[in-house]
Amino acid sequence: MTTPGEFAEFLPAYLAEVDELLASAQRDLLAVEEAVRRGAAQPRAVRELFRALHTIKGLSAMVDVEPIVSVAHWMEASLRVADQAGGRLPESSVEPLVEGLRAIEQRVRQLGAGKPASPAPANLLERLEALGPQMLEAAPRGPRAVVLDAEAAFASRLAPSEREQLEGGLAGGQRAVRLDFVPSSERAAKGLNINTVRERVAKHGDIVKVLPLSGAAAGGASLAFALLLLTHSEDAALLEAVGGAPATVRSLAVAAPLAPPAAGPASSTPAAGPSPALLPPVSGVPGALGVPGPEDELDEPEVRRGGGLLRVEVSRLDEAMEWLAALVVNRSRLTRAVAALTAAGAPTRELAAILQENGRQLRDLRSAILRLRMVRVGDVLERLPLLVRGLRRTTGKAVRLELDVGDAELDKAVADRLMPALVHLVRNAVDHALELPDERLSAGKPPEGLVRLGCHARSSGQLEITLRDDGRGVDARAVAKAANAPVPESVDGLLDLLCRPGLSTRQEATSTSGRGMGMDIVRRIVVEQLGGELRMETRKSAGTTFTLRVPLTVTLVDAIVFECAGLKYAVAVGTVEELIDVDALKVVRPAGADGLGLVERRGAAVPLVSLERLLERTAPGDADGVRGTKALIVRQRGEPVAFAVDRLLGQQEIVLRPLEDPLVRVAGVAGATDLGDGKPTLVLDLGALGAARVGRRMGAARSGGWAS
């Protein structure tokens, strides 16, 4: 095998392509496993899995990654047999296929890290090679009650898996139909071609095959396309999807031939022939309308001009974002310069108009670049089902994972940071929260546990993710005992204990948990790195729900700029619920509140915290007072808290630079920015800043000291 350096220029494209193919293969294999459990066939998933591995093998051979070629070859060989057997696999074949995908993924990661791919495990290759005979044994035997019209379905052009898919759909109550589409210049002008028709028809059912038909067609055309599909839709809906007449719909179902009666002495009935599903076309010659020629099969749609996908390295998008960030800072400097000229009496009306237009253009450019960086949450989470499958085997628990993510998107940088946190939460839900099947039955629950992950984008520029299980709930006493701490009185206190580094309720570490790192990692990622929010709700024997709120992007944000104790600070707009005026005469200062005050907000009392005091910039004579004429209200653990500041300076777009160095990282400081004056300005996370103050006070109280 060659070293990675010999194909260095091809390696990035190879890794990106194989990564996408692996994600697709994992989805298809999980669909196949689900069908195996039901005792059903999944011809389409088997064929797509076969195609993905065939492509992986070819790409790996091009860059001479022999271990991946070997594994993919034997997986492809066994799946070819399964495809010819109608898309049915024995249950014993799923695990070797999963291990094969995992082996390929491990070697792809090695190549991505600049290391050579390790040799393929001999034991795995032997198990994969032995799958072929098992696949043959799983092939269906005996005629079906409903079979295909051989002429309408072009039986000689159908692969066994496609024939199995059509007949299986018929047996399952679906309609198997042939829908003929006749292209024309009028339809093309309306945007109707074979590609758009495929998309529209796919909404009505599963397209099994598309075949071009040459010869005289309806409406005087010389070309038509036959779409063979399974559907529950009526003919009228299908015809509307392809633009109406001269399109036609024809059923593919015919009654299965009855067994011939016993032949009598005078009987001259010929012997029964083969099943109609296996018969070749009965009329016409290759090339005649309705009968495709040998080279006419249309397996893949033609790429549309102006469509398709363009793969771009993330580093290039990062570079574009850096240049945009520089433009944003320069615009802030220009805004300050124009304001200075205006204050000096210079005519700046035209310059201000140009500056305003430039601001709109920069926001449009920002939106365009951010859209390029956005990834679908569904794509980010597509490997979680495979994770749950592995946990199901290692824990012996029956688990069902439900994903409800819709079309939500978030920045690639946020997605990369967030994924490890979600992996830890899912692992904890399966390993800690869900009970074994016998325990669930004893508690009156179904034997199969449920883990449900949902998300939706909020109007504040944040993504809300909820992970819910129907397990035993968090045992506060057990957690407190493991932490050697009093039993917490609130859910927030319980969450704080769970997130302590090194805390685990397991006595021994296993391959999935027990090291006391999971929840600590989750909080550090969600709260400290992303500036988000982590909350928990739990009920005994009913389950636990974790709610995560994270920003959609962490680079360019809209911020409120304010002044406090003579310095400028910024805070993300999405984290601020409301801005209020503070009347010092109406602030209530309860006795023993350690500098905290209360202000009225629409009839309700809201805690008022002096940001000046939090930042330890209080003047000696004001140590016990709450200064500031304005306040920003944010949510801290679900409750509103007001932070008093001296004055508000306005709202502007900023470039957020996170503080990555652990020596300068401070709880409550999300990062720094340049407001255009060339000076660094701290960007605060007010909720985390307030929580850190409470934590310091509690720690000082436990040690007998005092902290402000």
Side-chain angles (χ1 to χ4, degrees):
M1 176 192 153
T2 58
T3 61
E6 297 182 45
F7 292 97
E9 60 180 310
F10 305 110
L11 201 57
Y14 165 79
L15 294 175
E17 185 72 23
V18 171
D19 191 57
E20 290 184 8
L21 290 167
L22 279 172
S24 171
Q26 288 168 350
R27 286 196 304 269
D28 291 326
L29 184 52
L30 289 173
V32 169
E33 183 181 32
E34 183 63 28
V36 168
R37 283 187 191 153
R38 302 194 312 266
Q42 184 61 276
R44 170 170 292 188
V46 169
R47 170 156 286 201
E48 292 302 321
L49 182 58
F50 167 77
R51 287 176 173 172
L53 287 162
H54 178 75
T55 307
I56 289 174
K57 184 178 81 169
L59 292 173
S60 302
M62 288 173 58
V63 295
D64 197 21
V65 189
E66 186 59 34
I68 295 181
V69 173
S70 300
V71 176
H73 167 73
W74 288 114
M75 294 179 70
E76 174 198 16
S78 61
L79 288 167
R80 180 186 289 111
V81 177
D83 183 41
Q84 295 170 349
R88 292 181 180 273
L89 280 75
E91 189 170 0
S92 59
S93 68
V94 175
E95 189 60 31
L97 293 174
V98 171
E99 292 180 19
L101 285 182
R102 190 177 296 120
I104 293 175
E105 185 175 15
Q106 289 172 348
R107 281 145 188 82
V108 169
R109 288 180 179 176
Q110 290 171 348
L111 293 173
K115 303 175 183 177
S118 57
N123 176 264
L124 175 61
L125 295 179
E126 292 174 1
R127 293 169 62 198
L128 291 173
E129 184 179 0
L131 289 181
Q134 299 178 31
M135 301 293 186
L136 287 175
E137 294 177 4
R141 290 171 173 79
R144 289 190 180 274
V146 182
V147 294
L148 302 178
D149 181 333
E151 180 181 2
F154 309 116
S156 64
R157 303 298 296 164
L158 287 177
S161 63
E162 293 164 341
R163 183 164 58 246
E164 169 74 15
Q165 186 176 357
L166 287 168
E167 293 182 346
L170 282 170
Q174 290 181 287
R175 300 177 63 216
V177 299
R178 164 182 162 182
L179 178 62
D180 287 0
F181 165 67
V182 182
S184 67
S185 57
E186 293 81 5
R187 284 178 170 76
K190 297 178 181 178
L192 282 176
N193 54 48
I194 184 56
N195 295 301
T196 57
V197 163
R198 285 180 69 133
E199 294 175 359
R200 297 176 64 171
V201 172
K203 297 178 181 178
H204 293 275
D206 295 328
I207 300 177
V208 178
K209 194 85 166 178
V210 178
L211 297 168
L213 313 174
S214 58
S222 59
L223 178 68
F225 293 91
L227 293 86
L228 310 184
L229 69 147
L230 293 168
T231 181
H232 289 291
S233 299
E234 300 294 332
D235 289 356
L238 297 176
L239 290 172
E240 182 181 358
V242 296
T248 58
V249 180
R250 177 175 173 181
S251 174
L252 299 180
V254 295
L258 298 175
S267 173
S268 60
T269 303
S275 168
L278 304 177
L279 289 174
V282 296
S283 63
V285 295
L289 177 62
V291 184
E295 306 299 328
D296 286 342
E297 184 174 348
L298 185 69
D299 283 332
E300 297 294 336
E302 189 176 320
V303 177
R304 287 172 283 178
R305 293 181 181 178
L309 297 174
L310 176 65
R311 184 179 289 112
V312 179
E313 294 180 12
V314 176
S315 60
R316 296 191 179 188
L317 294 179
D318 291 339
E319 184 180 9
M321 184 65 80
E322 285 298 318
W323 285 112
L324 175 61
L327 287 174
V328 170
V329 173
N330 282 337
R331 181 183 178 276
S332 298
R333 295 176 60 192
L334 184 59
T335 301
R336 294 173 64 88
V338 171
L341 289 174
T342 303
T348 58
R349 177 177 297 179
E350 185 176 355
L351 188 58
I354 295 174
L355 187 62
Q356 188 176 15
E357 178 63 23
N358 175 256
R360 284 195 293 266
Q361 292 171 346
L362 274 179
R363 293 190 73 85
D364 291 342
L365 180 60
R366 169 197 172 188
S367 298
I369 293 179
L370 287 179
R371 281 198 301 271
L372 290 176
R373 293 180 57 87
M374 301 298 267
V375 295
R376 291 182 64 255
V377 177
D379 295 337
V380 176
L381 304 180
E382 62 188 1
R383 298 191 178 183
L384 285 183
L386 198 63
L387 169 69
V388 171
R389 181 194 179 277
L391 292 172
R392 198 161 47 216
R393 292 181 58 84
T394 56
T395 62
K397 298 177 180 179
V399 188
R400 183 174 81 257
L401 175 67
E402 291 185 358
L403 298 177
D404 180 17
V405 297
D407 296 325
E409 295 180 325
L410 77 167
D411 191 297
K412 178 73 165 59
V414 179
D416 289 343
R417 296 187 192 182
L418 185 61
M419 188 59 187
L422 295 178
V423 168
H424 281 291
L425 286 175
V426 170
R427 186 176 289 151
N428 283 348
V430 176
D431 201 30
H432 287 281
L434 296 181
E435 309 93 335
L436 290 168
D438 291 344
E439 295 179 58
R440 293 181 62 86
L441 288 173
S442 300
K445 298 181 179 180
E448 185 178 61
L450 173 64
V451 177
R452 188 177 188 276
L453 193 151
C455 73
H456 67 275
R458 296 169 58 88
S459 58
S460 59
Q462 292 183 311
L463 184 75
E464 181 172 289
I465 302 173
T466 57
L467 184 79
R468 180 180 296 110
D469 66 69
D470 65 346
R472 57 172 63 93
V474 180
D475 187 341
R477 294 184 180 277
V479 173
K481 181 179 179 181
N484 193 24
V487 178
E489 298 179 357
S490 67
V491 175
D492 292 330
L494 179 58
L495 180 59
D496 287 339
L497 284 184
L498 284 173
C499 294
R500 280 193 185 182
L503 176 72
S504 177
T505 55
R506 287 287 174 89
Q507 299 299 321
E508 296 181 359
T510 66
S511 60
T512 56
S513 65
R515 295 169 180 81
M517 299 295 293
M519 290 304 300
D520 175 43
I521 292 174
V522 171
R523 170 165 280 183
R524 279 196 284 112
I525 291 174
V526 174
V527 178
E528 297 178 16
Q529 296 182 15
L530 296 177
E533 181 182 357
L534 174 66
R535 300 191 63 197
M536 180 184 75
E537 296 178 5
T538 186
R539 291 175 56 197
K540 185 177 181 180
S541 302
T544 304
T545 300
F546 287 94
T547 302
L548 293 69
R549 290 180 183 171
V550 296
L552 296 176
T553 181
V554 292
T555 305
L556 292 174
V557 297
D558 289 318
I560 296 173
V561 183
F562 58 89
E563 187 176 285
C564 182
L567 292 179
K568 293 178 182 177
Y569 299 93
V571 62
V573 170
T575 63
V576 178
E577 186 171 298
E578 188 177 351
L579 302 174
I580 62 173
D581 294 316
V582 177
D583 186 347
L585 298 178
K586 296 183 179 180
V587 176
V588 178
R589 296 180 176 86
D594 194 18
L596 296 179
L598 294 174
V599 293
E600 184 182 359
R601 178 203 186 202
R602 292 190 288 276
V606 175
L608 177 66
V609 181
S610 171
L611 186 59
E612 188 178 68
R613 183 181 176 83
L614 269 183
L615 298 174
E616 299 181 0
R617 294 185 58 81
T618 310
D622 296 321
D624 296 326
V626 177
R627 298 180 56 190
T629 59
K630 303 288 183 180
L632 297 85
I633 295 182
V634 302
R635 289 275 169 178
Q636 185 174 315
R637 293 177 173 175
E639 298 297 329
V641 178
F643 291 84
V645 300
D646 293 342
R647 64 190 182 110
L648 300 176
L649 301 179
Q651 177 178 330
Q652 72 178 74
E653 189 176 43
I654 65 169
V655 179
L656 177 61
R657 303 293 185 185
L659 302 179
E660 301 289 353
D661 190 338
L663 295 178
V664 299
R665 188 183 302 155
V666 179
V669 178
T673 188
D674 183 352
L675 297 177
D677 55 4
K679 300 177 182 178
T681 299
L682 293 180
V683 182
L684 303 180
D685 181 348
L686 295 179
L689 190 64
R693 176 183 186 272
V694 173
R696 290 199 304 270
R697 291 179 62 191
M698 293 178 63
R702 284 193 296 266
S703 61
W706 178 88
S708 62

